[in-house]
Amino acid sequence: MEKPLISFILTYYNLPVNMLCQCIDSVMALSLTPEEREIIVVDDGSKDSPVNSLMKYGDDITYIRQRNQGLSEARNTGIQMAAGQYLQFVDGDDLLNKDAYEHCLQIAKTQNPEMVVFDFSSTPTTALDYKDQPSQSGSHYMRHNNIHGMACGYLFKRSVLGDMRFTPGIYHEDEEFTPMLLLRAENIIVTSAQAYCYQERPDSITNLSNTNNQQKRLNDLKMILHRLHITADRMPIDDKTALQRRVAQLTMDFIYQVILQTHSRRQLENEIQDLTLLSLFPLPNQSYTTKYTWFRHLSATSVGRILLMRIIPLTHKER
């Protein structure tokens, strides 16, 4: 039996069932035949199984229920089950924008790249004017662009993934996974198509604001930064330069999040000290973007960091 073109790995945990069904419907609305697609729904131990609501899909989906282990393990399970030439992650509360994703499918079918890199929207879109960049390596793209961390923003060949998997038990798992995946690809096509609709919910995992959760998120990101930094030092020069840019961008984001989430000068200075010990600070003297340049200058001094704390607002729940 011939392999399907794409395996869609949908992860689900304690979501409204209607959102999961809308997600599945957005995949099934694509022009792919049942033989060309595979839809795998991984239920990561939800309190209430959605299986009864999924019966209407019959053999069009594969439903897997496992004990709650987190998003990383849910995706890893989906990878293990997937048979498609390409893999596409979709969070169960999000959607694929039909017209834009059809453009990505056309790229995959006609140009056979190892990865298709596309854009996001926060609402469904029907824009049809897309700009595609010439084929390039993932390393080249990362050396010249800021990338988005979300693994859902990439349609990629299973062969590129190899034995790489998501690290279990951590937040920000995408920030570790995505750059390492890109560096494995020698032939990627980047398109402006907003193929993925990200629907933010107030109770989503990224919006949980209790102190323990907040500190774990920061600690996990700092751990990932350290691991990526060490990995970069062992790479060939082009890959090293590419990953160093990503680490610098994420370090800037980390400092920003410390200020935004804690608004504590003491914690900010403690985190700066930790970053310095890990050789992640000061930020590298590079002109990646205008925002990076001014943030690097301000964060380099205690006076500048005080100014950053005045500029960066408190989160809504802390106001």
Side-chain angles (χ1 to χ4, degrees):
M1 183 177 178
E2 189 173 347
K3 291 182 178 180
L5 177 65
I6 304 179
S7 293
F8 295 91
I9 300 172
L10 280 55
T11 49
Y12 174 85
Y13 177 68
N14 287 350
L15 298 171
V17 177
N18 69 303
M19 296 191 79
L20 176 61
C21 291
Q22 290 171 4
C23 179
I24 296 171
D25 291 343
S26 75
V27 176
M28 294 187 63
L30 300 172
S31 62
L32 296 168
T33 66
E35 292 74 29
E36 290 178 311
R37 70 168 186 247
E38 178 182 47
I39 304 174
I40 302 170
V41 178
V42 183
D43 176 3
D44 189 43
S46 295
K47 181 179 179 181
D48 298 312
S49 169
V51 66
N52 289 337
S53 298
L54 301 182
M55 296 293 287
K56 62 184 178 181
Y57 296 108
D59 293 336
D60 284 318
I61 70 168
T62 299
Y63 173 73
I64 303 167
R65 181 172 171 85
Q66 64 183 32
R67 65 180 179 84
N68 179 240
Q69 301 174 71
L71 179 59
S72 290
E73 289 287 34
R75 285 178 173 167
N76 288 343
T77 296
I79 292 170
Q80 181 179 351
M81 296 295 298
Q85 300 173 47
Y86 285 90
L87 303 184
Q88 173 67 63
F89 296 115
V90 190
D91 290 344
D93 50 351
D94 295 335
L95 304 170
L96 297 181
N97 288 321
K98 184 179 187 302
D99 293 331
Y101 201 87
E102 292 285 358
H103 181 70
C104 298
L105 292 178
Q106 186 66 15
I107 292 173
K109 290 179 177 180
T110 60
Q111 301 188 51
N112 195 35
E114 291 178 299
M115 296 181 70
V116 181
V117 181
F118 48 81
D119 207 349
F120 295 85
S121 69
S122 57
T123 56
T125 178
T126 57
L128 297 174
D129 185 19
Y130 312 124
K131 295 181 180 179
D132 304 337
Q133 297 182 24
S135 175
Q136 60 191 299
S137 70
S139 177
H140 181 274
Y141 181 67
M142 286 178 62
R143 290 197 303 275
H144 297 90
N145 298 273
N146 288 348
I147 66 170
H148 56 73
M150 283 182 62
C152 294
Y154 303 86
L155 172 63
F156 60 93
K157 281 192 173 181
R158 174 64 178 265
S159 58
V160 175
L161 181 65
D163 61 356
M164 194 174 77
R165 297 293 184 270
F166 290 91
T167 301
I170 63 170
Y171 292 119
H172 302 290
E173 60 281 320
D174 287 17
E175 300 294 7
E176 181 177 37
F177 179 89
T178 300
M180 299 307 298
L181 182 68
L182 269 165
L183 288 175
R184 290 173 171 235
E186 293 300 322
N187 173 21
I188 75 170
I189 301 292
V190 180
T191 176
S192 65
Q194 294 180 320
Y196 193 95
C197 180
Y198 177 74
Q199 303 189 109
E200 188 168 355
R201 295 179 297 113
D203 59 342
S204 71
I205 193 169
T206 56
N207 290 320
L208 299 176
S209 61
N210 68 75
T211 303
N212 290 338
N213 177 279
Q214 181 185 84
Q215 191 57 53
K216 176 170 170 51
R217 293 185 67 83
L218 292 174
N219 289 342
D220 285 355
L221 181 54
K222 187 164 53 178
M223 175 191 66
I224 289 169
L225 285 169
H226 183 46
R227 290 209 295 243
L228 291 177
H229 174 70
I230 292 174
T231 301
D233 280 342
R234 301 169 180 165
M235 288 182 159
I237 185 63
D238 284 350
D239 289 355
K240 177 178 180 178
T241 302
L243 192 53
Q244 283 177 333
R245 174 175 178 143
R246 183 56 181 167
V247 170
Q249 180 190 356
L250 286 176
T251 304
M252 179 185 75
D253 291 345
F254 174 83
I255 296 170
Y256 181 92
Q257 288 301 322
V258 171
I259 297 172
L260 184 68
Q261 295 180 30
T262 72
H263 223 71
S264 164
R265 186 180 175 190
R266 175 181 292 181
Q267 179 158 356
L268 175 60
E269 294 304 322
N270 287 340
E271 297 291 1
I272 291 292
Q273 185 176 19
D274 282 355
L275 292 175
T276 303
L277 291 173
L278 296 173
S279 300
L280 295 165
F281 189 87
L283 294 172
N285 185 11
Q286 300 287 342
S287 300
Y288 294 132
T289 63
T290 301
K291 177 182 177 181
Y292 176 86
T293 300
W294 71 255
F295 195 97
R296 176 175 60 81
H297 283 301
L298 285 176
S299 64
T301 66
S302 58
V303 173
R305 293 193 288 273
I306 291 172
L307 182 57
L308 280 173
M309 292 193 68
R310 292 175 179 173
I311 295 172
I312 299 172
L314 293 169
T315 60
H316 177 72
K317 290 186 177 181
E318 292 174 318
R319 284 176 181 167

